[in-house]
Amino acid sequence: MDDSGSQPPDDDFRWSRLTEKQRACLDLLIEHKTSKEIARLLDISKHTVDQRLNLARDTLGVRDRNETAFIYRQLKDRYDRVTYDAVEVPPSPTLVRSEFPDGGSPNLMELHDSSALRGGPSGIRLPFRGLFKRDHGSAKRLWIYAAGLALTVWIILGGLGVAQALNQLLSR
């Protein structure tokens, strides 16, 4: 920059001569990536990366890779600014009706399934409403498994009894 605070005219010219492909390589170069890493990230060959970086070096008029990264970073900070970001203002909060019977705030320790508060779809309390919750203790879980096993055995034995009775009827 000169004493007046404006950038030299050659900076603007150098920035405008860099291609998008060169800038993509230079962006990764200033993140301290190697040519091989840049090639992998951009899905191009290492030779192509080196070629783009060498052309960018010549365009910027510098001697080596480190100076290329340094000058590019300065130009990027100066010329690649977002002039305007859209401001998103969140909508103002609105009051929502309470789902709780008394209309007050809930005690978090007493929260239950909302269908249990209403008594199920028809207002009738279901006997097994908490059976499929995932937070049962070990003892209760063991009882649930035992009851499920007993019910399965009872259904199988009942089915076998019906099959035997039908077999006897048909064999007469």
Side-chain angles (χ1 to χ4, degrees):
M1 289 217 258
D2 58 13
D3 292 336
S4 67
S6 64
Q7 49 278 47
D10 61 321
D11 281 353
D12 189 31
F13 179 70
R14 291 190 297 178
W15 177 256
S16 66
R17 291 205 43 222
L18 290 172
T19 66
E20 289 300 316
K21 292 179 180 183
Q22 290 170 349
R23 289 181 189 178
C25 290
L26 288 167
D27 285 337
L28 294 170
L29 179 68
I30 63 176
E31 292 178 10
H32 306 289
K33 304 283 186 198
T34 64
S35 292
K36 189 183 275 189
E37 291 171 327
I38 295 171
R40 255 189 252 126
L41 290 169
L42 297 179
D43 198 25
I44 56 178
S45 72
K46 180 185 174 298
H47 174 71
T48 304
V49 170
D50 290 334
Q51 186 179 28
R52 288 179 186 172
L53 291 175
N54 287 336
L55 288 171
R57 185 190 68 213
D58 294 341
T59 301
L60 295 175
V62 293
R63 293 184 306 260
D64 61 10
R65 187 178 177 115
N66 290 334
E67 196 175 354
T68 303
F70 181 76
I71 296 297
Y72 176 72
R73 174 56 136 195
Q74 287 181 335
L75 292 175
K76 182 176 174 72
D77 288 344
R78 187 177 305 145
Y79 293 106
D80 198 29
R81 291 186 194 168
V82 176
T83 308
Y84 174 78
D85 281 337
V87 177
E88 293 185 28
V89 178
S92 59
T94 58
L95 294 176
V96 179
R97 254 184 121 87
S98 173
E99 296 280 333
F100 296 96
D102 63 355
S105 63
N107 178 358
L108 295 179
M109 299 305 289
E110 297 177 4
L111 285 178
H112 301 289
D113 184 17
S114 61
S115 64
L117 287 175
R118 286 184 237 120
S122 61
I124 301 170
R125 287 245 179 220
L126 303 173
F128 304 111
R129 73 184 185 298
L131 183 64
F132 297 106
K133 291 181 0 183
R134 296 176 182 255
D135 59 349
H136 295 298
S138 298
K140 192 167 186 179
R141 202 174 283 176
L142 185 63
W143 278 107
I144 292 171
Y145 290 146
L149 181 64
L151 181 65
T152 303
V153 168
W154 183 71
I155 289 173
I156 290 173
L157 289 177
L160 289 174
V162 169
Q164 183 180 7
L166 286 175
N167 194 16
Q168 285 178 357
L169 282 174
L170 291 175
S171 65
R172 288 189 190 174

